[in-house]
Amino acid sequence: MGTVSYALGVILFALLTQISSTHYLPLSVFFFVGLSGSFLYTNGPAGLKYIGVGDIVIVVTFGPLTAIFSYLALGGPLSLAAFFKVFSLSLPLAMLAEASLHSNNMRDVSVDRSRGMITLPILLGRGWSFFVYCCLLLLPYTILVALIVYSSLLFAIPMVTLPMALSLEKAFRMENLQQLPKQTMYLTSYFGLLYVPVFYFVAKLS
């Protein structure tokens, strides 16, 4: 199934290069970096997940890399200013995606350690892992506040998910970890479904 998915992805990417106004070279760079990251996350000589750098791959791939690739595919101009803006706006979803992974790794610490794996919670310990989870969970809402102040009140819409984020922080603190990864993924989905459409309406109203 994985091979079929990768093959389909490459075929669709080839089609994309034919219809996008952006030159195929920058699109290729971002596409194949993302493709390599997704493959090496759990495959290759030593899966990146198991040597303590999987979290970096998730943050980069599910945030800036995907966002900038989409921006270029839609014909966005190549400029550092535009890349920085896209990078900044992708951070909330990137952090929530990483929170899902982090909670999963925290739940599986004992199993991973027994198998000789090295994940971020194993390296940090419970106290610092809780701190990292809180940052990943709550910093997206700090970014929303900045967007509300400096861009549009419409960015207040995703704030309705804040109570859910606070309940997940409490669950981690109380060590109710069994369902935490799934619940964090739900939060990420709800946040994204409210966050992404806001950009469309902000653009329409500006």
Side-chain angles (χ1 to χ4, degrees):
M1 188 62 185
T3 303
V4 173
S5 298
Y6 280 116
L8 182 60
V10 171
I11 292 170
L12 292 175
F13 170 71
L15 293 174
L16 175 65
T17 61
Q18 300 303 307
I19 61 176
S20 175
S21 60
T22 302
H23 192 272
Y24 74 89
L25 187 58
L27 287 174
S28 299
V29 170
F30 282 97
F31 177 78
F32 285 106
V33 168
L35 193 71
S36 301
S38 68
F39 177 79
L40 294 174
Y41 180 68
T42 53
N43 298 289
L48 299 177
K49 173 184 177 180
Y50 309 126
I51 57 174
V53 294
D55 298 79
I56 297 173
V57 174
I58 292 298
V59 169
V60 173
T61 303
F62 284 86
L65 196 68
T66 302
I68 293 175
F69 177 81
S70 301
Y71 166 79
L72 290 175
L74 292 170
L78 289 165
S79 73
L80 286 177
F83 280 14
F84 179 76
K85 184 176 182 180
V86 174
F87 170 85
S88 302
L89 295 174
S90 72
L91 287 179
L93 283 175
M95 287 188 282
L96 289 174
E98 166 58 18
S100 301
L101 170 69
H102 187 68
S103 61
N104 183 75
N105 288 341
M106 185 62 200
R107 182 195 62 189
D108 297 340
V109 160
S110 298
V111 175
D112 290 343
R113 184 181 286 118
S114 68
R115 294 176 177 174
M117 300 174 185
I118 303 173
T119 60
L120 192 60
I122 291 175
L123 293 172
L124 295 179
R126 188 194 176 285
W128 282 108
S129 291
F130 173 67
F131 174 77
V132 168
Y133 182 74
C134 289
C135 290
L136 294 169
L137 206 62
L138 300 177
L139 281 177
Y141 297 95
T142 304
I143 295 174
L144 282 182
V145 171
L147 289 171
I148 292 168
V149 172
Y150 294 106
S151 181
S152 170
L153 284 174
L154 289 174
F155 283 103
I157 294 173
M159 291 292 287
V160 300
T161 61
L162 180 58
M164 185 177 181
L166 294 175
S167 71
L168 294 180
E169 178 275 331
K170 182 179 179 181
F172 196 120
R173 180 160 33 90
M174 302 300 291
E175 299 192 15
N176 297 325
L177 303 179
Q178 194 59 38
Q179 296 299 317
L180 193 61
K182 182 187 293 186
Q183 293 167 345
T184 308
M185 284 189 284
Y186 286 151
L187 171 65
T188 305
S189 299
Y190 300 150
F191 186 98
L193 288 171
L194 295 172
Y195 181 64
V196 174
V198 168
F199 292 98
Y200 172 80
F201 293 108
V202 169
K204 281 292 185 181
L205 293 174
S206 61

